[in-house]
Structures are given as C-alpha cells and as structure tokens.
Amino acid sequence: MTGDVAVLGAGMHPWGKWGRSFVEYGTAAARAALADAGIDWRQVRSVVGADTMRCGYPGYVAGATFAQALGWQGARVTSVYAACASGAQAINTARSQILAGMADVVLVVGADSAPKGFFAPAGGDRPDDPDWLRFRVLGATNPAYFGLYARRRMAQYGDTPEDFALVKVKNAAAGALNPNARYRKTVSAEDVAASAVVADPLRLLDICATSDGAAALVLTSMDFARRHGAADPVRIRAVSTVTPTYPKAVLDLPDIATDSAAAVEPFPHSFRASIALAAYEEAGIGPDDLSLAEVYDLSTALELEWYEDIGLCRAGEGAKLVREGATALGGRIPVNVSGGLASFGEAVPAQAIAQVCELTWQLRGAAGERQVTGARAGITANQGLFGHGSAVIAVR
C-alpha cells in the first residue's frame, strides 16, 4: 500500500500526573486536534483509539470510548493495542481506511493515566506471556533492562555514563521549550551524575518516568484536504509496523533467548533497524533526506542506539553524534526536539501519536523556540513489547 494522507490537525493534552481519567485527557486532545484542523466533529467518519490497558473496561475499546465522549454521531470506530507502538498502529489503521476509500476524515486518539513508578506486570501467573517471564524469571524490570543495554554499549563501543548524560541534557533543553512537556527544566551533566543510581550505570535522570497525557491527529484524504483549503498539508508517507525477523542471538525484547543460527543465517539487521528500513523503503527516502527525528528514549543509552538503528550513523557512533551536538537543536540532524520521553514520560497509547504531532508542528514551521529550520521530512521510531515497533515518516 502506498499513498499520502494529510495531517490536518494535531492536538495534545499536556503530560503530567493529573490524577484524572484518560478519557478526559483524550477528549481534550481530540478537541484540540479538531480545532487545529478546522473540522467539525460531525465531519469525522471514523475514530481510531489507541487502547490503554490499566484503566478498566473503557480502555479496551478506546475508539468507542472517545466517540461516546465527543458525542455519538454515527462514525465507525476501531480500537488498537500494540504496546508502545499502539499510537502508530492507530495511525496506520486510519491511513488504511482513508486510502481504501472507507472514510475521508479520521480522528486518531491515544491517552493514558499511568501508574506511579515503573511499569510492572499484572498479577497472576502467565507463563506464556513474555512480559511476565521477563519480570518474574529474569527479574528484568524495565530499568534493569535499560541498564543491560547501557552496559552492552559500554562494553562494545566504549560509551560512558557521561555520554548518556549528554542525551538527557540535550532533551531537557528542548523540553524546557515545549508547553506540553511534563518536565520543563534544563539540567546539567552534573545534575544527572548526582541523581540516584537506579540500574547501574543508569541514574534516575537517565530513565523516563510514567505520565498521564494524550495526543490526537485528524487525518484526511488528499482530496478532502484540498477541498478544505489545505493546498500543502503535512503528509504521512509511510508507516512501518514490521515484526522481528529471526533468529536473534542477543537478549532483546520481545525475545528472552532465541538463536536459530545453527540452522538459518542470521538476519543482517536488528529489529529496530528493520522497522526504520521498511519505512524508508515505503517512503522512497533515506536517512540523508531527514530534517529531524523523534525516537523512543526510554533511557538515554537507548536513544544512542536509535541513532544507529535509523541510519543517522554507523553502529557504535551514536555517542559521537551527541558529543558533537549533531542531534541537538541547531545540529545537523536534531533528534527529540519535543524533549522526548525524558521530558514527557510514558503515556503508552499516546506517545507514538505525540511523536507525529511534533513532526507536524515542525514541518509546518509552527514549533516556536524549538523549531528546526527548513524542516521538510521527519521520522518517528519506537519499540514495544511482543514484537511491536513502529516508524512513521512525514513530509512536506
């Protein structure tokens, strides 16, 4: 499937810990996106909701939940769950409906009220659940997993805790300029080094928080956009949601231990690299065409890994990019100019949608103090549990 769809509206509810229902956050983001698009709610013919899984029954049918909150008007609804890639799966579903001629105007919404602290598995014994196994058998909570990744980079490439701290410093500086960010305060490398160790070598300021928040997009066909007076809208050109290609010999989500190399030649690319490659192939562009990127910085060390996975540099050179300032605002290829998860925290169903909101504002030239000069193309990337991952390419 190929073809552009227009992004006519983008809206968010600010991230934080507000203690209210995810429905309230999602409805506010949806109304903001509709207002941004200049679209009346009654013109929306489909609502795609990215599910939240911890807030009771409505979270399992997020499309209908948000449609009801906005007022039943006959639109079709779809609900999507794909762990941290839920928002991108929702965008892909909306795009598919538009390109298939099922709807001209689709509202995409994701919202969450996250638990306090780090995510933990639900109760009960589930030996077939990779997440349960990771927590209970390996003892690999999210911070422990992030720490293992950081240690591997240190051993393989010579990265240092000081390199990781530079990622936080960079993202905090961008987040301080973003009114939707939860944390809007600059930090220094010394601040990172002084924060508590959580999972050696990572400290508290190296790891993202959990947050409440919401994001929404109004996507339309190109014909509708032109009729609506948008002659040159931001366009989504590619959405990649590929799964891992086995075998995998390195501990990695969604695998605990899989190695079929004795029987099958290893795949040349990592899972995350394959996500981006599929998006580039569909969009007909490459890393050299990018103006900016929004990647999934669950930890500072993982952001460096993403630089390599999306093709900004060769394996092992991520730290060099951040040391040179290449990925900072004003650098050669700014990354996470929104502030990233370092500044927002995780609101799982919303975060991949929020990444596309940032691309939209940047490509419009409407990002204010954090604007990337002359932005024409951007990529988002993230990885979730159970083989979910996503990359979205937007252009103008």
Side-chain angles (χ1 to χ4, degrees):
M1 181 187 68
T2 59
D4 291 354
V5 298
V7 185
L8 286 199
M12 294 178 67
H13 183 289
W15 258 235
K17 282 289 189 181
W18 311 113
R20 300 193 292 274
S21 166
F22 76 96
V23 181
E24 181 177 337
Y25 308 143
T27 302
R31 287 176 174 150
L34 290 166
D36 184 48
I39 297 288
D40 186 274
W41 159 235
R42 290 167 294 185
Q43 294 176 271
V44 173
R45 302 319 308 145
S46 179
V47 180
V48 184
D51 288 353
T52 178
M53 304 300 280
R54 293 174 304 282
C55 298
Y57 173 75
Y60 290 89
V61 287
T65 298
F66 296 126
Q68 181 181 26
L70 291 163
W72 296 123
Q73 42 83 315
R76 69 174 72 237
V77 295
T78 310
S79 296
V80 174
Y81 180 71
C84 295
S86 295
Q89 291 270 17
I91 291 168
N92 198 42
T93 298
R95 177 174 176 251
S96 299
Q97 290 178 355
I98 292 167
L99 294 178
M102 298 169 64
D104 263 353
V105 183
V106 183
L107 174 66
V108 180
V109 191
D112 206 358
S113 298
K116 184 178 180 180
F118 299 116
F119 290 119
D125 293 341
R126 298 185 310 284
D128 293 329
D129 176 352
D131 198 24
W132 183 90
L133 290 170
R134 176 171 65 96
F135 278 98
R136 302 296 174 86
V137 178
L138 295 181
T141 61
N142 283 359
Y145 182 69
F146 305 153
L148 288 172
Y149 253 111
R151 276 288 167 196
R152 190 168 78 186
R153 289 195 64 84
M154 293 171 73
Q156 284 185 309
Y157 307 129
D159 290 5
T160 68
E162 291 74 25
D163 294 325
F164 304 149
L166 291 177
V167 176
K168 174 65 177 184
V169 172
K170 170 186 72 72
N171 289 349
L177 304 176
N178 192 335
N180 289 309
R182 176 178 177 182
Y183 301 106
R184 300 190 59 198
K185 181 181 178 182
T186 60
V187 301
S188 67
E190 291 74 22
D191 293 329
V192 179
S195 64
V197 173
V198 175
D200 183 72
L202 299 180
R203 296 178 176 272
L204 185 64
L205 292 184
D206 284 302
I207 299 172
C208 76
T210 60
S211 289
D212 299 354
L217 296 164
V218 176
L219 306 183
T220 75
S221 67
M222 294 303 296
D223 284 344
F224 180 93
R226 284 188 283 268
R227 295 197 305 270
H228 193 66
D232 184 28
V234 172
R235 304 181 299 283
I236 290 177
R237 180 151 291 173
V239 183
S240 167
T241 58
V242 298
T243 54
T245 302
Y246 296 98
K248 295 177 67 66
V250 177
L251 175 65
D252 196 0
L253 290 177
D255 316 313
I256 288 174
T258 301
D259 190 354
S260 304
V264 182
E265 283 296 313
F267 193 65
H269 306 294
S270 71
F271 174 35
R272 285 187 305 277
S274 68
I275 296 167
L277 285 168
Y280 289 136
E281 182 178 353
E282 183 178 325
I285 68 172
D288 291 343
D289 300 304
L290 297 175
S291 306
L292 72 156
E294 287 285 312
V295 304
Y296 198 39
D297 60 314
L298 291 166
S299 80
T300 51
L302 284 173
E303 177 167 324
L304 298 182
E305 194 104 351
W306 276 114
Y307 296 172
E308 300 157 16
D309 292 327
I310 66 174
L312 303 186
C313 60
R314 291 179 296 184
E317 295 182 352
K320 182 173 181 285
L321 285 190
V322 78
R323 287 184 214 126
E324 295 172 346
T327 57
L329 274 170
R332 174 175 63 82
I333 177 64
V335 177
N336 284 343
V337 291
S338 65
L341 295 182
S343 299
F344 277 76
E346 283 197 89
V348 170
Q351 49 214 27
I353 301 171
Q355 288 179 321
V356 178
C357 287
E358 182 65 24
L359 291 193
T360 299
W361 293 321
Q362 290 286 346
L363 296 175
R364 287 177 179 173
E369 292 180 272
R370 64 184 191 281
Q371 180 64 48
V372 174
T373 303
R376 303 298 296 173
I379 190 171
T380 72
N382 73 41
Q383 177 189 3
L385 293 170
F386 317 121
H388 290 123
S390 71
V392 178
I393 290 177
V395 300
R396 190 170 189 185

